[in-house]
Amino acid sequence: MDLEIFEEKIGYSFKDKKLLEKALTHSSYANENRLPEDNERLEFLGDSVLGFVTAEYLFNEFKTQPEGKLTNLRAAVVCEKSLFKFAEKISLGEHILMGRGEEHTGGRNRPSIVSDAFEAVIAAMYLDGGMDVVKPYILGFIKDAVKREVNFKDNKSLLQEEIQKQKGNVLLYEEVGETGPDHDKVFNFVVKLNGEIVGEGSGRTKKEAEQSAAGDALLKLIK
């Protein structure tokens, strides 16, 4: 394993290289090679560090939001799907040490494995360099994710509030197609009010497409 290549991708050079190697060691590799440890303990710690940094950022950024909304936003930002996307940005799957069987069954592209390794790397950075090192690293990923989630929630909630001004209104989001290859899809959505299309939108994810459609509807419905 060439740790230096991965260190270049994350922008941090470890003082203790063994910490990074452990963070990249999946249990299947440890079992095959009879190693005493894998990355599961680091993943446990990384989950807490990630959660704290995210919570602190949301607490300071959204000063008027209640606890419930902050909790839901944090959950959306640090869910497995989000962590997998973060990990893809640094090609983390390519660097994980895993057993032959796990690799042959697509382990390098399995969200559960890759997202756990992402958290393990966070823990390794925290142990090696402290919060001053790992906090900017985490924020580099979550700030954009927070913006996407907030935009999505704001447009959909605003549209919902608008249509509730009249009783009996029914709102429905519907996927109408997708374009592009699997690794770069664009999803197309419409939003219907009482069965009639009132907005259209597209995005790299279904959430973004729904948000776009809701925004289009708001422009048309709010005079």
Side-chain angles (χ1 to χ4, degrees), residues 182-222:
D182 288 342
H183 69 279
D184 193 26
K185 281 189 181 298
V186 173
F187 298 93
N188 303 308
F189 269 72
V190 298
V191 57
K192 295 180 178 180
L193 177 60
N194 301 327
E196 179 182 351
I197 295 176
V198 292
E200 302 176 46
S202 60
R204 297 293 181 183
T205 67
K206 292 183 178 181
K207 283 186 176 183
E208 287 180 3
E210 288 182 345
Q211 183 269 342
S212 178
D216 184 48
L218 284 167
L219 290 174
K220 295 174 181 176
L221 295 175
I222 301 177

Side-chain angles (χ1 to χ4, degrees), residues 4-223:
E4 290 184 2
I5 293 177
F6 184 70
E7 287 178 324
E8 288 178 6
K9 290 181 179 179
I10 63 176
Y12 178 70
S13 180
F14 278 77
K15 296 185 287 289
D16 183 356
K17 306 294 184 184
K18 290 184 179 180
L19 266 176
L20 176 57
E21 187 170 350
K22 188 185 298 183
L24 297 173
T25 301
H26 185 253
S27 58
S28 61
Y29 184 88
N31 292 335
E32 272 190 16
N33 294 274
R34 298 181 180 179
L35 299 178
E37 285 189 277
D38 51 38
N39 64 3
E40 290 181 357
R41 280 172 52 83
L42 286 174
E43 180 267 327
F44 166 77
L45 176 61
D47 177 70
S48 295
V49 175
L50 176 65
F52 170 75
V53 172
T54 304
E56 182 186 50
Y57 173 74
L58 296 176
F59 180 82
N60 291 325
E61 189 74 9
F62 302 100
K63 299 185 183 299
T64 62
Q65 293 298 319
E67 179 270 340
K69 288 190 176 181
L70 294 178
T71 297
N72 291 338
L73 184 53
R74 180 181 59 183
V77 170
V78 300
C79 68
E80 182 180 285
K81 183 178 179 180
S82 292
L83 299 187
F84 183 61
K85 288 181 179 180
F86 298 162
E88 285 184 317
K89 293 180 179 179
I90 55 174
S91 304
L92 178 54
E94 298 175 8
H95 299 275
I96 299 174
L97 292 170
M98 62 178 60
R100 291 186 294 273
E102 194 68 63
E103 183 162 6
H104 291 158
T105 57
R108 294 194 184 280
N109 296 308
R110 188 166 296 132
S112 58
I113 291 176
V114 179
S115 61
D116 284 352
F118 184 82
E119 291 180 324
V121 169
I122 284 175
M125 291 179 70
Y126 171 72
L127 292 173
D128 192 72
M131 188 61 77
D132 289 343
V133 166
V134 77
K135 183 176 178 179
Y137 178 74
I138 293 173
L139 291 177
F141 290 100
I142 67 168
K143 284 183 177 180
D144 286 342
V146 169
K147 288 179 182 178
R148 287 195 297 269
E149 288 295 329
V150 168
N151 288 338
F152 159 67
K153 291 179 184 299
D154 281 352
N155 277 353
K156 291 189 71 176
S157 62
L158 285 171
L159 181 58
Q160 189 67 33
E161 290 173 7
E162 183 66 21
I163 67 111
Q164 285 178 343
K165 292 177 180 178
Q166 294 183 4
K167 292 184 178 180
N169 279 337
V170 177
L171 204 60
L172 176 68
Y173 292 87
E174 183 177 308
E175 183 177 354
V176 293
E178 57 185 53
T179 59
D182 288 342
H183 69 279
D184 193 26
K185 281 189 181 298
V186 173
F187 298 93
N188 303 308
F189 269 72
V190 298
V191 57
K192 295 180 178 180
L193 177 60
N194 301 327
E196 179 182 351
I197 295 176
V198 292
E200 302 176 46
S202 60
R204 297 293 181 183
T205 67
K206 292 183 178 181
K207 283 186 176 183
E208 287 180 3
E210 288 182 345
Q211 183 269 342
S212 178
D216 184 48
L218 284 167
L219 290 174
K220 295 174 181 176
L221 295 175
I222 301 177
K223 306 298 183 181

